[in-house]
Amino acid sequence: MTGCKNPNISGIKPADSNTNIAILENLPTVTSVQKHTIPVGEIEYAALKIETSHYIIYTTVTDRLILRRLPMLLESAWQNFHSFTPDTRPRQSAKGQVYYFNTRQQWLDFSRSFAPESFHIFEQVRSGAYCHNRTCVAWQISRQADFSVLTHEAWHQYCD
């Protein structure tokens, strides 16, 4: 039998949060990183809180490659968005809030409590994300798709 079955989407063995913090805190786009929990009803998901100049990212994702690239991706996207409207102030007046989950189930659990009035719509999403009340909420689909989805939702967030 060939191939393997690995529940880890990224194919990289997850690291502990201390290792991920050490990797992230030295990145030029990261202003702060710390352990965090995301309360979802009676469940709490262990997460990281990553701050950049324009974003606060809460994530349960453990893929080191994605974690290293995520802050730079969002900051680069913000700079590009701003370049589209250089003579006007962006509508995004506060730091953008991003929740980026490791699994769709975590995303569903969060969405059910975060946006109960829209949950019936969000639960139909099979591959994607949403921006609701100026908050971007996504889950890890694949390395190829995630950054495109995140920047798309960040654009909605930027435009308010």
Side-chain angles (χ1 to χ4, degrees), residues 66-97:
I66 288 177
L67 287 175
R68 286 179 55 84
R69 292 181 177 176
L70 182 61
M72 185 170 39
L73 170 88
L74 289 173
E75 281 300 315
S76 295
W78 192 94
Q79 293 299 327
N80 283 323
F81 302 156
H82 192 63
S83 73
F84 294 142
T85 57
D87 297 331
T88 61
R89 288 234 173 262
R91 294 184 184 209
Q92 181 180 321
S93 57
K95 286 187 177 186
Q97 302 281 312

Side-chain angles (χ1 to χ4, degrees), residues 13-136:
K13 186 176 180 178
D16 66 65
S17 59
N18 290 333
T19 302
N20 288 336
I21 289 172
I23 289 168
L24 289 165
E25 66 188 357
N26 293 317
L27 297 177
T29 54
V30 174
T31 59
S32 169
V33 61
Q34 58 191 301
K35 290 180 186 178
H36 191 75
T37 57
I38 301 171
V40 180
E42 295 184 17
I43 302 169
E44 280 193 344
Y45 289 117
L48 292 177
K49 178 182 178 184
I50 306 164
E51 290 193 52
T52 68
S53 295
H54 299 100
Y55 292 94
I56 300 174
I57 307 159
Y58 302 95
T59 184
T60 62
V61 171
T62 58
D63 182 325
R64 289 181 187 166
L65 181 62
I66 288 177
L67 287 175
R68 286 179 55 84
R69 292 181 177 176
L70 182 61
M72 185 170 39
L73 170 88
L74 289 173
E75 281 300 315
S76 295
W78 192 94
Q79 293 299 327
N80 283 323
F81 302 156
H82 192 63
S83 73
F84 294 142
T85 57
D87 297 331
T88 61
R89 288 234 173 262
R91 294 184 184 209
Q92 181 180 321
S93 57
K95 286 187 177 186
Q97 302 281 312
V98 176
Y99 286 85
Y100 182 36
F101 292 98
N102 195 47
T103 67
R104 184 172 186 273
Q105 187 59 55
Q106 291 174 345
W107 179 83
L108 284 169
D109 292 342
F110 178 81
S111 298
R112 185 178 292 112
S113 64
F114 176 68
E117 71 285 353
S118 301
F119 181 70
H120 66 284
I121 296 167
F122 298 147
E123 72 180 331
Q124 296 175 44
V125 174
R126 296 290 171 223
S127 181
Y130 62 88
C131 186
H132 181 71
N133 291 334
R134 295 186 302 250
T135 300
C136 176

Side-chain angles (χ1 to χ4, degrees), residues 129-131 136-137 148-158:
Y130 62 88
C131 186
C136 176
V137 184
S148 175
V149 168
L150 285 165
T151 54
H152 174 87
E153 296 306 328
W155 171 249
H156 290 297
Q157 185 179 54
Y158 180 88

